[in-house]
Amino acid sequence: MARFLRSTWGFSLKVAIPSALLLAVAIGAASLVLSDMAAQVDRIETTGREKSSQAALNSFLTHLRETHGDYAVWNDAVTNLYGTVNYDFVRTNIQDSTRAGVLYDQVFLLDESGRDVFGYRNGQPALRSVREEFGPAIDLMIEAVRREPYRTAAQTAFLKDHVGEIAAVAIGSVLPSNGEVRLPTGRTRLLVMARHLEQTAIQRLSRDFVLDELTLVKDASGLAQVLPILDPLGHQIGALSWGPSSRGTEALTRVAPTAVLAMTLICATMAFLLVISFRNQVELQRREQEAQRAAGQDGLTGLPNRRTLGRALGDAVQTGRDGRLAVIYLDLDGFKEVNDTYGHEIGDRLLVKVAAAFARICEGRGMLSRVGGDEFAVVMHGANAANAAGVVAETMVRACDEPFDLDGRQVQISTSAGVAATWGEPISADELTRRADVAMYLAKEFGRNRVAFYDPSIDAAKAERVRLAEDLRNAIRQDNLAVVYQPIFDARTMRPSGVEALLRWLHPELGLVPPDKFVPIAEESGLIEPIGEWVLRRACRDALAWPDVKLSVNVSPVQFRNPGFDTLLAKVLADTGFPPRRLEIEMTETHLVANPDRAQAIIASLRALGVTISLDDFGTGYSSIGYLRRFTFDKVKIDRSLVVGVTGNGSGRELCEATIALARALDLSVTAEGVETEQEAEILTKAGCDDLQGYAFARPMSADVVGSFLVATLSRPLVVPWIV
């Protein structure tokens, strides 16, 4: 008894008591650390949100300052706004922009004495002068501009208007953009732009700067999370408010019960571990031995796993040359749907049944292994392993043609298989497996439920796409892309009514690369948006020198998926000075089907800019009356695939005429592209086409050539033989 007590006391002094003290210190330290971390997180979150709110306000002002610079620092503005104001210029370039309110919603022009020349708000004449609208604070901004009248950057600030709404205001002199226009002597005239902080703008700032519950408040008293908005007089005219900064506290509150429970369990576990530590050590050793035995085996199906496959294949590849070694890679088609529909338990049972069926087929022929969730592989040896692998793979695929019975539930799947073999070249086990995997994915691309064999052309095609993508990047950096233009003709008068911009890439080695080959590569590699913006800018600049005809530019669905595409287009139009009424954006139905709501919103935004919208390749995709009614298109373009059949007497002509009649019934203008003969042109005109485009009339030309062509063609009447 005394010995037992001494042993117990010795264990307590050496192990139990020190462990308890150490645990108590650890618990106290953990509690202090958690509390301090929660407080730090709250403080950091508050500071971060305050900085983000300030950045949001600065961004709003910066955007307005840049917009002001686009309009005020402009030779045309000096020419038309000094002296006698050209109100046609004002209406087209300044007043109309206030209507949509995308860039600004209010504008004033002050003369050399500071008096209002004109003012507009939301497309209508302003009812008050700029001083009546914004009060004394505006005078400070005017004085600041008068002190530096030739500074191109505008003065910006937030002001409160006559009804108490907050607006960003930019004031600056109207100045020439270069030395081609001389500024009148004396004081400068001032352009005042304003954009109100309405709810839509706040929501966009909240989204762009990741500020939850961001709101604009006029009275910030009683609110803890606010950023004051001051006018030039130093008066607080409002504030930005956001949700409370409590992530740290919330996290601590949520984790506290778990932490307490964990500490309690740790204490109990420590006492338990002290008693059975030796037994645990023995158990650990036993489990390690079992893990080593099971390391090469799949726990669900009992088949060899990926590790075992790798070892076996690595050994076999050393002697498996000249077709004596082959790998089959299989993937179950539709297995994910089985898991989602019936649950993972049924999915596991299905895997067991499939593995058993595959094992019966491979018995005595090769080593079957499970290498992933629903992926299997077979390694085969022999003098004719490649051909034998094809036979085995086909048998395994056909084994899944019949449904599997799982307790009365019939579960149907299919299998795609890829086969790769060694053919005399030095090849690693990983490369052989990769080739079989590539062939398997090729089988899926061909429609699934089949066998595909690896061919070097598969990798060659992928390598070519990678090389073309890199060459395309270099072409963008070196400005080696080009835009050509193909005229579009009025079907009744045969006079040019428009021009379509077409992107061209002359590769230094491959020659002219077709757009249908490099545009998909640009879309996949993320290059289509910079290319698309470049085409828009180049086409708008080139078309400014031509007669007053429409300019059509095709836009990729990737560009339409960008929520800021309307803003980008507005900036391109403002930067180039190209009239929106002359621009026609062509889009395909791909984006309409994938994102109809977003597509409808972006189309509405583009139409608000004054741009025409055309549906390209009509009749080749998912065309339906529903889409034509839902989306407010101005025009449809009939694809060449429909045009090519109109000269026959079969269904091709009837189909094309019916498509044109459908568009006309919906009050849409119709353009036929790819017209190559006068006979096609005559039939299409009589069927109701408004415009014609194709090699029958003109091929794509450079900007200079098409400009001369338009001038020459529009200056003389053309006789159209099929017009009576």
Side-chain angles (χ1 to χ4, degrees):
M1 184 64 179
R3 184 175 180 180
F4 173 77
L5 291 176
R6 284 196 302 271
S7 299
T8 303
W9 178 248
F11 178 82
S12 299
L13 289 176
K14 294 180 180 180
V15 180
I17 294 176
S19 298
L21 292 174
L22 181 61
L23 182 61
V25 172
I27 290 173
S31 300
L32 290 175
V33 169
L34 287 174
S35 299
D36 185 61
M37 287 178 62
Q40 289 288 352
V41 169
D42 287 343
R43 287 192 292 271
I44 292 171
E45 183 184 7
T46 298
T47 302
R49 290 191 177 187
E50 186 173 324
K51 290 181 178 179
S52 296
S53 299
Q54 186 63 60
L57 292 178
N58 293 340
S59 172
F60 199 80
L61 289 176
T62 299
H63 186 71
L64 183 61
R65 182 185 294 113
E66 293 173 351
T67 300
H68 183 281
D70 292 338
Y71 284 82
V73 185
W74 184 16
N75 287 350
D76 289 351
V78 174
T79 303
N80 293 279
L81 297 184
Y82 278 89
T84 301
V85 175
N86 182 351
Y87 280 95
D88 288 337
F89 173 84
V90 171
R91 182 178 61 258
T92 302
N93 294 278
I94 298 177
Q95 178 183 355
D96 287 350
S97 295
T98 65
R99 196 182 313 278
V102 175
L103 301 174
Y104 57 92
D105 52 41
Q106 201 167 6
V107 64
F108 296 89
L109 179 67
L110 304 183
D111 65 12
E112 292 81 354
S113 300
R115 295 187 298 269
D116 289 58
V117 177
F118 60 73
Y120 299 98
R121 179 168 182 175
N122 297 329
Q124 302 298 322
L127 301 178
R128 296 168 184 80
S129 69
V130 69
R131 290 178 175 82
E132 292 172 339
E133 184 71 26
F134 296 111
I138 197 77
D139 289 325
L140 288 180
M141 298 180 68
I142 294 174
E143 291 174 6
V145 174
R146 291 300 188 197
R147 286 194 296 268
E148 296 182 88
Y150 302 109
R151 179 182 175 185
T152 56
Q155 293 285 334
T156 57
F158 287 101
L159 302 180
K160 184 181 290 187
D161 65 12
H162 75 283
V163 296
E165 299 298 329
I166 298 174
V169 178
I171 303 177
S173 299
V174 178
L175 301 172
S177 55
N178 54 47
E180 296 177 2
V181 174
R182 180 179 293 275
L183 188 68
T185 59
R187 282 190 160 191
T188 59
R189 291 193 170 185
L190 306 184
L191 187 66
V192 182
M193 285 184 173
R195 184 180 179 191
H196 284 75
L197 269 174
E198 79 286 351
Q199 185 60 30
T200 302
I202 294 298
Q203 290 176 352
R204 186 161 188 170
L205 291 176
S206 175
R207 182 179 64 253
D208 291 346
F209 289 86
V210 196
L211 290 166
D212 297 335
E213 304 177 28
L214 184 67
T215 56
L216 179 66
V217 295
K218 297 180 181 178
D219 184 6
S221 58
L223 297 176
Q225 312 287 344
V226 294
L227 176 68
I229 300 176
L230 305 179
D231 67 7
L233 295 172
H235 299 154
Q236 182 173 333
I237 58 176
L240 285 182
S241 175
W242 54 87
S245 304
S246 58
R247 292 185 180 178
T249 304
E250 290 176 1
L252 180 61
T253 303
R254 292 179 181 179
V255 80
T258 304
V260 172
L261 178 61
M263 293 173 186
T264 303
L265 291 175
I266 289 173
C267 293
T269 303
M270 179 173 286
F272 180 72
L273 291 176
L274 289 173
V275 176
I276 63 168
S277 58
F278 178 74
R279 293 179 58 188
N280 284 349
Q281 184 177 356
V282 173
E283 180 67 14
L284 179 61
Q285 292 175 347
R286 185 184 65 82
R287 289 183 179 180
E288 287 179 351
Q289 293 173 353
E290 291 181 354
Q292 290 176 356
R293 288 195 300 270
Q297 188 178 52
D298 176 54
L300 178 64
T301 63
L303 295 174
N305 60 14
R306 181 184 292 273
R307 181 179 178 182
T308 302
L309 171 72
R311 285 200 304 265
L313 190 56
D315 295 339
V317 80
Q318 301 300 323
T319 56
R321 305 289 170 84
D322 300 325
R324 298 181 60 85
L325 176 63
V327 173
I328 308 171
Y329 210 94
L330 306 101
D331 182 87
L332 304 185
D333 306 321
F335 180 74
K336 181 179 182 300
E337 288 75 8
V338 172
N339 270 341
D340 293 342
T341 303
Y342 302 114
H344 289 278
E345 181 181 354
I346 294 297
D348 288 347
R349 293 172 62 189
L350 175 62
L351 285 173
V352 172
K353 288 230 173 189
V354 170
F358 287 173
R360 287 192 294 271
I361 297 171
C362 296
E363 186 174 2
R365 299 181 176 182
M367 187 187 80
L368 172 68
S369 61
R370 182 187 177 207
V371 295
D374 60 341
E375 296 177 344
F376 297 84
V378 183
V379 178
M380 298 185 65
H381 306 263
N384 198 16
N387 292 335
V391 174
V392 171
E394 184 65 31
T395 305
M396 297 173 80
V397 169
R398 299 282 71 83
C400 295
D401 286 345
E402 296 297 326
F404 289 88
D405 186 354
L406 300 176
D407 296 336
R409 179 184 284 116
Q410 301 297 308
V411 179
Q412 180 71 64
I413 59 169
S414 63
T415 303
S416 297
V419 178
T422 57
W423 291 105
E425 82 263 55
I427 184 174
S428 67
D430 289 341
E431 175 61 15
L432 186 60
T433 305
R434 186 195 69 82
R435 291 182 179 184
D437 187 36
V438 167
M440 181 269 292
Y441 277 103
L442 184 64
K444 286 184 176 290
E445 291 178 7
F446 286 160
R448 301 184 175 186
N449 194 32
R450 65 190 69 235
V451 179
F453 288 81
Y454 173 80
D455 186 276
S457 62
I458 302 174
D459 285 337
K462 289 185 176 181
E464 182 185 10
R465 293 180 70 86
V466 172
R467 184 173 69 87
L468 278 178
E470 184 58 32
D471 290 346
L472 187 57
R473 288 189 180 90
N474 292 331
I476 296 172
R477 287 193 292 265
Q478 299 167 9
D479 196 23
N480 286 339
L481 297 177
V483 181
V484 296
Y485 303 92
Q486 185 176 29
I488 302 170
F489 293 82
D490 186 298
R492 294 293 174 183
T493 66
M494 286 313 299
R495 297 170 67 86
S497 59
V499 174
E500 181 179 3
L502 303 170
L503 180 62
R504 292 291 183 264
W505 179 22
L506 184 61
H507 193 281
E509 299 175 3
L510 304 177
L512 190 63
V513 183
D516 58 358
K517 184 172 184 179
F518 74 81
V519 168
I521 294 175
E523 291 176 339
E524 294 171 5
S525 56
L527 300 174
I528 193 64
E529 292 199 69
I531 292 176
E533 180 181 354
W534 178 83
V535 171
L536 273 170
R537 289 185 181 275
R538 172 62 62 85
C540 288
R541 285 198 299 267
D542 289 345
L544 282 173
W546 304 338
D548 190 15
V549 297
K550 282 278 189 181
L551 170 65
S552 299
V553 181
N554 200 302
V555 176
S556 164
V558 176
Q559 293 174 267
F560 267 103
R561 284 195 290 270
N562 183 350
F565 178 69
D566 53 346
T567 303
L568 171 65
L569 182 58
K571 190 173 188 309
V572 170
L573 291 172
D575 291 345
T576 60
F578 191 74
R581 62 178 179 78
R582 287 184 57 194
L583 181 61
E584 180 178 288
I585 294 297
E586 296 184 10
M587 63 177 296
T588 60
E589 294 170 284
T590 305
H591 189 50
L592 306 183
V593 175
N595 302 279
D597 293 333
R598 187 182 299 173
Q600 191 169 17
I602 197 69
I603 289 174
S605 298
L606 297 182
R607 288 177 62 86
L609 294 175
V611 174
T612 303
I613 306 297
S614 174
L615 180 61
D616 196 15
D617 298 337
F618 182 65
T620 62
Y622 311 93
S623 307
S624 70
I625 298 177
Y627 281 125
L628 293 179
R629 286 179 172 174
R630 177 174 182 181
F631 300 101
T632 52
F633 296 109
D634 300 287
K635 177 188 291 186
V636 295
K637 295 191 74 173
I638 303 296
D639 188 70
R640 169 65 186 166
S641 61
L642 288 178
V643 172
V644 73
V646 299
T647 55
N649 296 321
S651 59
R653 180 169 180 172
E654 296 176 355
L655 177 60
C656 186
E657 291 175 341
T659 303
I660 296 171
L662 171 63
R664 296 305 299 265
L666 294 172
D667 198 25
L668 296 174
S669 176
V670 181
T671 298
E673 58 183 351
V675 183
E676 297 185 355
T677 66
E678 289 190 359
Q679 185 181 6
E680 291 175 349
E682 179 181 359
I683 294 172
L684 291 167
T685 301
K686 291 179 179 179
C689 275
D690 299 284
D691 297 285
L692 303 173
Q693 177 183 359
Y695 285 2
F697 316 106
R699 292 176 177 268
M701 316 171 192
S702 66
D704 294 338
V705 174
V706 80
S708 302
F709 177 84
L710 291 174
V711 172
T713 308
L714 289 172
S715 64
R716 66 174 187 270
L718 297 180
V719 178
V720 185
W722 56 82
I723 300 298
V724 180

